Amino acid sequence: MTHTRALDRITDKSEPSHIVILGAGFGGVYTYTSLPRWVKKQYRITVIDRRNHFLFTPLLPEVAGASLDQHSIVEPIRDIINRDVTFIQSTVISVDTNTNTIVLPDTIITYDILVAGLGSKTHFFGTPGAEEHAYILKTLDDAVHLRNRFIDTFETASQTTDPVERKKLLSFVIVGAGPTGVELAGEVSELLFDTFVHQFGSLDIDDVTLTLVNSGDDVLSMFDLPLRQYATRALTRGRVVLRNNVRVTEVTPFGVVTDTGEEISAQTVVWTAGVTANSLTCSCGTFTVDRGRILTDRYLRAESIENVFVIGDMALFPTEDNRGLPMTAQVAKQQGQTTGKNISRLLKGQPLYPFVYHEKGLLASLGSFDAVAQMKGFRFKGVFAWFMWRTIYLFNFASWKKRFKIMADWTVNLFARRDTTRL
Ligand SMILES: Cc1cc2nc3c(=O)[nH]c(=O)nc-3n(C[C@H](O)[C@H](O)[C@H](O)COP(=O)(O)OP(=O)(O)OC[C@H]3O[C@@H](n4cnc5c(N)ncnc54)[C@H](O)[C@@H]3O)c2cc1C
């Protein structure tokens, strides 16, 4: 069946169309929640994701830094969708837009309308050794793995009598000073220099080093200069060693090698430089792919394919500067909301709404009680920005249950040290 025949089926009311949403991340979930009730009642809807939860990625650094419990930042997909909607926990292998089929490991599914929101994956820019030796922060498993790594390293160091070996163990490098790298550095610096140093009486704080390596001139390059300078001062105060204008050319089991040939020793390297990666997570039939992302029209439909919407990190939306929109949750959420409304318009045979992105502002946490925020021409920093950051994230989270859980975790953090239980 070609996609134009699928479109005929959609407008032919005798057979209910099958709407399939690939990915229950920001794009997929907001597509689903923005579908009008009558669409959810009258049409067959299937959601497919390899995980059974929605992950609130902006709070991943807090899980890695042991200030939030991992269950607090995920929501079961079955709590989000209606019970009569089909959810399939499976991995999408490929999509064929000529036959309107999706290939899963053990079955093939046919769709009439498809929404592809499978996100992105970490990009290492071909840096030798990075994929093998660096830790990443993209999924909940990554965050838990990283937190465990920090704990294990300190436990091992506390039993190491050789001072040189101990120092090596306690050296950490984060590569990339975009929002993820900076937020992680803020969180980890408190975990290392506050919680661990307090818990491990035998270890000397001067043996611990946390280096943030950044290929640009400044951290948080998308923020205005005064906020970048503020973030730099805050990180430095938190004992983070900032290395700007340094490009990592290799990651080894013993640290990173830079473009000047310098070796920065570290037993733990975290790669956040490529979280806005451009590679796709599935092979995608006949889509037009540019810089790893699927080219869309102004209505978020894959170019020349009228029954397939592509949203979020996967989509290369046409912009004046030809760079596409940033790969952020804000963009994915708004694209999901527009797509939900446009599916109902497509089903009614009405013209679609073009997608218009409204930038809501930029926020980055620098650890407890400190953050920077930039909104509608205003700049905020320090405790006020931190409260703003927390409130906005809290109200963007899916359910009240999880909002209360996060609020409870944050309240406990005001009075107690981070939970360093090894899981
Ligand atoms: C650590 C971190 C911090 C971030 N902080 C912020 C922030 O503060 N603000 C902000 O705006 N953005 C932030 N982002 C970016 C934001 O998370 C993404 O831009 C956003 O999640 C993109 O939404 P999406 O729907 O395209 O993809 P995702 O939300 O990643 O969802 C994709 C879904 O597809 C599923 N999937 C992927 N491949 C397959 C497959 N083959 N088969 C089945 N299912 C599959 C995944 O399991 C996932 O559920 C952050 C990202 C990270 C990693």
Side-chain angles (χ1 to χ4, degrees):
M1 192 200 316
T2 64
H3 51 84
T4 28
R5 277 179 58 202
L7 270 187
D8 292 342
R9 251 171 68 101
I10 293 163
T11 36
D12 165 15
K13 305 271 186 311
S14 58
E15 249 186 289
S17 300
H18 187 198
I19 302 166
V20 179
I21 301 175
L22 304 183
F26 279 92
V29 160
Y30 280 95
T31 299
Y32 172 78
T33 54
S34 304
L35 287 172
R37 198 171 297 173
W38 67 268
V39 175
K40 289 179 187 160
K41 269 197 173 152
Q42 289 177 28
Y43 292 89
R44 201 150 68 86
I45 300 174
T46 301
V47 178
I48 304 174
D49 198 298
R50 62 183 169 201
R51 306 185 299 223
N52 87 333
H53 61 253
F54 164 74
L55 172 66
F56 194 76
T57 50
L59 293 176
L60 275 174
E62 300 215 9
V63 172
S67 63
L68 275 183
D69 173 53
Q70 68 258 37
H71 291 97
S72 303
I73 72 161
V74 286
E75 188 85 45
I77 291 166
R78 291 186 187 279
D79 277 356
I80 299 172
I81 59 173
N82 293 349
R83 51 187 291 184
D84 39 4
V85 167
T86 307
F87 171 67
I88 302 175
Q89 184 175 0
S90 187
T91 298
V92 176
I93 292 172
S94 63
V95 173
D96 191 329
T97 55
N98 293 321
T99 53
N100 291 311
T101 49
I102 302 149
V103 178
L104 304 181
D106 43 14
T107 184
I108 292 180
I109 291 178
T110 307
Y111 61 83
D112 296 297
I113 298 177
L114 181 72
V115 181
L118 296 174
S120 60
K121 63 180 181 184
T122 301
H123 191 39
F124 297 99
F125 304 102
T127 311
E131 199 163 352
E132 296 90 311
H133 304 301
Y135 288 77
I136 58 170
L137 185 60
K138 191 79 180 125
T139 65
L140 193 62
D141 284 347
D142 297 336
V144 174
H145 192 42
L146 202 49
R147 180 178 59 191
N148 286 342
R149 169 72 184 178
F150 295 131
I151 298 167
D152 289 346
T153 307
F154 268 72
E155 293 293 357
T156 310
S158 71
Q159 292 165 37
T160 307
T161 46
D162 177 355
V164 178
E165 195 52 37
R166 197 167 52 230
K167 234 177 157 149
K168 274 190 195 162
L169 272 170
L170 297 176
S171 301
F172 302 86
V173 164
I174 297 173
V175 184
T180 302
V182 165
E183 292 195 349
L184 185 65
E187 281 292 318
V188 173
S189 79
E190 285 181 22
L191 178 68
L192 306 188
F193 298 112
D194 179 28
T195 305
F196 282 154
V197 165
H198 174 83
Q199 288 177 338
F200 292 83
S202 60
L203 296 178
D204 183 352
I205 193 167
D206 291 329
D207 282 347
V208 187
T209 51
L210 173 61
T211 309
L212 182 60
V213 181
N214 173 30
S215 63
D217 299 338
D218 222 342
V219 300
L220 298 175
S221 60
M222 63 293 289
F223 282 76
D224 291 345
L225 181 65
L227 295 181
R228 299 203 302 265
Q229 290 172 333
Y230 180 85
T232 299
R233 285 197 300 276
L235 290 170
T236 312
R237 246 192 340 267
R239 299 181 81 112
V240 178
V241 179
L242 207 54
R243 300 287 308 272
N244 285 332
N245 294 309
V246 172
R247 215 165 55 79
V248 170
T249 52
E250 190 182 352
V251 180
T252 70
F254 315 105
V256 297
V257 181
T258 74
D259 47 354
T260 58
E262 183 192 359
E263 286 177 34
I264 304 176
S265 164
Q267 295 277 302
T268 307
V269 176
V270 191
W271 186 274
T272 68
V275 282
T276 56
N278 58 11
S279 40
L280 295 176
T281 46
C282 71
S283 114
C284 286
T286 53
F287 294 131
T288 312
V289 177
D290 182 358
R291 283 159 280 166
R293 297 168 85 183
I294 297 171
L295 220 58
T296 72
D297 62 16
R298 292 189 311 128
Y299 309 97
L300 294 165
R301 292 177 305 193
E303 260 211 341
S304 326
I305 308 175
E306 293 181 339
N307 61 333
V308 176
F309 295 87
V310 184
I311 54 174
D313 287 359
M314 262 187 135
L316 188 66
F317 182 77
T319 53
E320 271 176 23
D321 63 4
N322 203 25
R323 292 172 61 190
L325 291 170
M327 290 158 118
T328 65
Q330 282 191 59
V331 171
K333 175 180 171 180
Q334 289 180 35
Q335 291 188 334
Q337 287 167 331
T338 301
T339 300
K341 289 180 197 135
N342 273 341
I343 288 175
S344 96
R345 293 182 74 82
L346 187 66
L347 293 168
K348 287 198 277 193
Q350 293 173 336
L352 305 190
Y353 295 125
F355 175 69
V356 183
Y357 175 53
H358 300 285
E359 159 89 53
K360 294 266 168 66
L362 299 168
L363 291 163
S365 149
L366 303 167
S368 303
F369 300 108
D370 210 358
V372 283
Q374 190 171 303
M375 271 170 206
K376 303 200 187 302
F378 293 99
R379 296 184 200 124
F380 308 93
K381 56 184 191 292
V383 180
F384 180 73
W386 182 76
F387 270 111
M388 203 161 84
W389 170 84
R390 295 207 147 183
T391 311
I392 289 174
Y393 276 1
L394 212 54
F395 283 91
N396 266 301
F397 205 54
S399 74
W400 276 104
K401 184 173 88 182
K402 294 294 168 146
R403 284 179 200 164
F404 280 124
K405 205 163 180 322
I406 293 174
M407 251 188 303
D409 282 353
W410 280 340
T411 310
V412 170
N413 290 349
L414 293 175
F415 309 102
R417 288 210 158 76
R418 286 151 196 259
D419 188 338
T420 55
T421 314
R422 169 69 162 90
L423 296 171

